[in-house]
Amino acid sequence: MKATGTKVIIETLIEQGCDTVFGYPGGAVLNIYDELYRNSDKIHHVISAHEQGAAHAADAYARVTGKAGVVIATSGPGATNLVTGIANAYLDSSPIVAITGNVALPLLGKDSFQEVDITGITMPITKHNYIVKDVNELADVIREAFKIAQSGRPGPVLIDVPKDVQTAVCDFENKKPEKMERICSVTEKQLEQVAKLISESERPYIYCGGGVVISQAGEEIEKLAAKIDSPIGFSMMGLSAVSADNPYWLGMTGMHGRYASTKANSEADLIIAAGVRFSDRATGNKSRYTQYAKVVHIDIDPAEIDKNISAYFGLIGDVKTVLTKLLAKLEKKTHTQWMDKIQQMRIQEGIQFVKDGVMHPKDIIEKVMEYTDENTIVATDVGQHQMWVAQYYRFKKPRTYLTSGGLGTMGFGMGAAIGGCFASGCKKTVLFTGDGSFGMNLNEMATAVSNNLPLVILIFNNGVLGMVRQWQNTFYDQRYSQTTLNRKTDFVKLAEAFGATGFRVMDIKMLKEALDTAFKTQGPVVIDCSISQDEKVLPMIPPGGSIDNIITR
Amino acid sequence: MKKGQFILSVLVANHAGVLTRISGLFSRRNFNIDSLNVAVTEDPLFSRMTIIARGDEAVQEQITKQLDKLHDVKKIELLTPEKTVLREHLLLKIKVTKKTRGEIVESVNIFRGRVVDFNLDSLTVEVTGESDKLDAFIKFVSQFGILEMCRAGALAVKRGAMADDSDK
């Protein structure tokens, strides 16, 4: 059939299984929005308050569903507003397809109204990007974009479509989407060598990253832990991969990791790392990190092997496939001494934790857990509250935890909660945020209210930029430069002004009452939780440090 | 070849923006690039880039792997200097006088170069060869005064009959 460029875009999106898109209309995408209007029964478009929110929503949608999230924005500022969202998706390997309009071909390069070179701008933060100058190539470009975004190590892809390409006419036929295959280039010999290494290990430690979530390999990780009697630690991105109820679970390792997890990580003689990239936040001092340990690194991205930590063995492939093959080669092992030691570390961790009389962030998180279930999507922003959630929230199922790992994007939370909520079928979704982070993209409250989304938004309000303040306290002699906000924002009134419900709570009793209402309310609810401005995220390992420098109180 | 240098022969898709992608990757990942040469191959769908980069083995491995992740990169070959024919091209405009002309032309001949433009007060010559040879030539003629220099990055092909088995 004959189709215009915009028709090709919508038809191909539908063909790729896309039923929800996030975005914001504008001059250069008028035609796309006209086509969306005609196809509103097939594709649900969610308009955000700002393109950044839409990009985060698409990212979160992808993280929850495992399918590519789609975001549409107009040329110029619409496109540049996506940039943080795209970079965020890139750093956390989240598959999004961003479609931007651009000025018509004859106007390209003339500094035309709302023209930017968005392919140039996003080159270093996308897996690949395109500017489509011929309508005949459009359909296959979109198909390829989905394939690139979702295959191998996922990531964002951007397609820039000039306005006259959107209106141009071409032949179009639907095609079936390509099936994604699990890649694995691991040989039998490698597997045997790794199996031998594992069998010789006395203190193994399984280190589980975001790749395990993406590959849905939580079950294999649990089998591995049980078979070789090994604790499981996590990078922040890997946290939800295995249920916190698993007896081998130690929680997050690294700069703000749980004590036992970080300690075990540093004392292990073998680190079996799956789907991680050894971020500086996770390893600290790299030579100390591997002082006692050999590293077996399993990852689908060959470039990750030996990038940050040199691996004794690198197994390249889809984590689930590699682990399945590896499990077949392994014999049952027990490490009584090591597991006893781990138990001691856990006890130590429990003793270290001290809290004062006021409402501690841990109390808030634990109270919220009484209301949520294992399927509840939990989003965070970035900062202290994010670390507390990573430390104390007990995730049970993969793809329920939305957080900005690599880029550390303050303002990620609102868009993410919205995208995650839509992806969950508009189930109750929780956002933990801080007064700083919430301030960055609180405009998306409008989106949440317009869509009557059941969001429970908990603001950990300490009146300061807590994480930066913590560093100023620890490393800058308490010179609190520009981190004491003490803004007069009334978050209850703010919630009400947006058409939502708001509560301010000073203690756990008040929090309980607010949560009782919040979890019965249909639309978004903001709970402004007052916490101490001097509360620190502990333990903490100074940047570039190791377990030897851990600060526990 | 200078210390730490290595040669990459990269087959890439021949369309707009590819050069930016490749050079952008080098700067973004903090890799050093000494020279880069690109032109279309016998098949107009592909271009070949010859890149001289610098770094230790780990850097070399990272560069190769990161390049390999780019969608437009079709094939990467790390060429070993001993098994590679490497050529650079130099165009040099040299100041001449009646007195120096003879000596300059003689040196061009020794270096198996050619005079490509001849004027009263200047000579433009071309010299082809490996990097060291061109360096030596430049060093020698610099005493006469170099007016303008233009030097292309290296081109490289593997020695022997084995054709490039690119996975087009």
Side-chain angles (χ1 to χ4, degrees), chain A residues 319-518:
Chain A
V319 173
K320 194 182 180 80
T321 314
V322 175
L323 284 177
T324 307
K325 289 184 176 180
L326 183 61
L327 276 165
K329 301 255 181 256
L330 292 172
E331 280 164 26
K332 179 101 181 112
K333 292 269 292 182
T334 46
H335 300 287
T336 320
Q337 252 188 326
W338 173 231
M339 288 312 289
D340 283 349
K341 220 170 166 188
I342 300 281
Q343 196 49 37
Q344 290 305 312
M345 293 173 193
R346 280 183 162 135
I347 291 166
Q348 187 69 25
E349 179 177 293
I351 297 167
Q352 278 169 3
F353 182 74
V354 207
K355 61 178 181 186
D356 51 24
V358 298
M359 184 162 59
H360 188 275
K362 182 171 185 266
D363 299 332
I364 302 174
I365 292 162
E366 283 171 355
K367 185 49 82 184
V368 172
M369 276 194 280
E370 291 174 18
Y371 292 81
T372 56
D373 62 41
E374 57 181 23
N375 295 312
T376 309
I377 306 292
V378 175
T380 78
D381 256 300
V382 166
Q384 285 186 311
H385 72 273
Q386 179 192 26
M387 292 302 115
W388 284 317
V389 171
Q391 290 177 333
Y392 302 125
Y393 195 95
R394 297 178 66 82
F395 293 96
K396 307 279 174 71
K397 277 197 173 174
R399 302 195 177 279
T400 54
Y401 174 44
L402 307 173
T403 197
S404 169
L407 196 67
T409 313
M410 284 176 74
F412 171 72
M414 266 312 292
I418 290 165
C421 189
F422 274 111
S424 73
C426 294
K427 300 245 171 57
K428 203 54 110 179
T429 299
V430 173
L431 167 64
F432 290 101
T433 182
D435 49 319
S437 282
F438 187 62
M440 283 205 175
N441 278 336
L442 56 80
N443 50 5
E444 297 304 340
M445 280 295 294
T447 314
V449 171
S450 299
N451 291 280
N452 200 27
L453 295 180
L455 304 186
V456 180
I457 300 159
L458 294 116
I459 305 172
F460 286 32
N461 190 349
N462 51 10
V464 294
L465 296 176
M467 186 56 96
V468 184
R469 182 187 160 93
Q470 177 170 340
W471 283 52
Q472 288 170 335
N473 179 288
T474 315
F475 307 118
Y476 292 83
D477 290 331
Q478 287 124 52
R479 290 187 300 277
Y480 297 124
S481 177
Q482 300 299 315
T483 52
T484 314
L485 300 175
N486 280 337
R487 289 175 181 152
K488 302 293 172 232
T489 315
D490 182 332
F491 288 117
V492 176
K493 280 189 186 154
L494 180 101
E496 286 164 0
F498 274 111
T501 314
F503 295 98
R504 180 171 300 111
V505 303
M506 312 302 286
D507 56 37
I508 288 295
K509 193 170 157 281
M510 288 174 83
L511 175 65
K512 186 183 175 303
E513 284 162 14
L515 287 170
D516 282 342
T517 316

Side-chain angles (χ1 to χ4, degrees), chain B residues 139-156:
Chain B
K139 198 177 163 199
F140 180 77
V141 296
S142 61
Q143 59 178 307
F144 307 110
I146 292 170
L147 296 172
E148 212 176 317
M149 182 172 118
C150 192
R151 186 171 176 172
L155 299 174

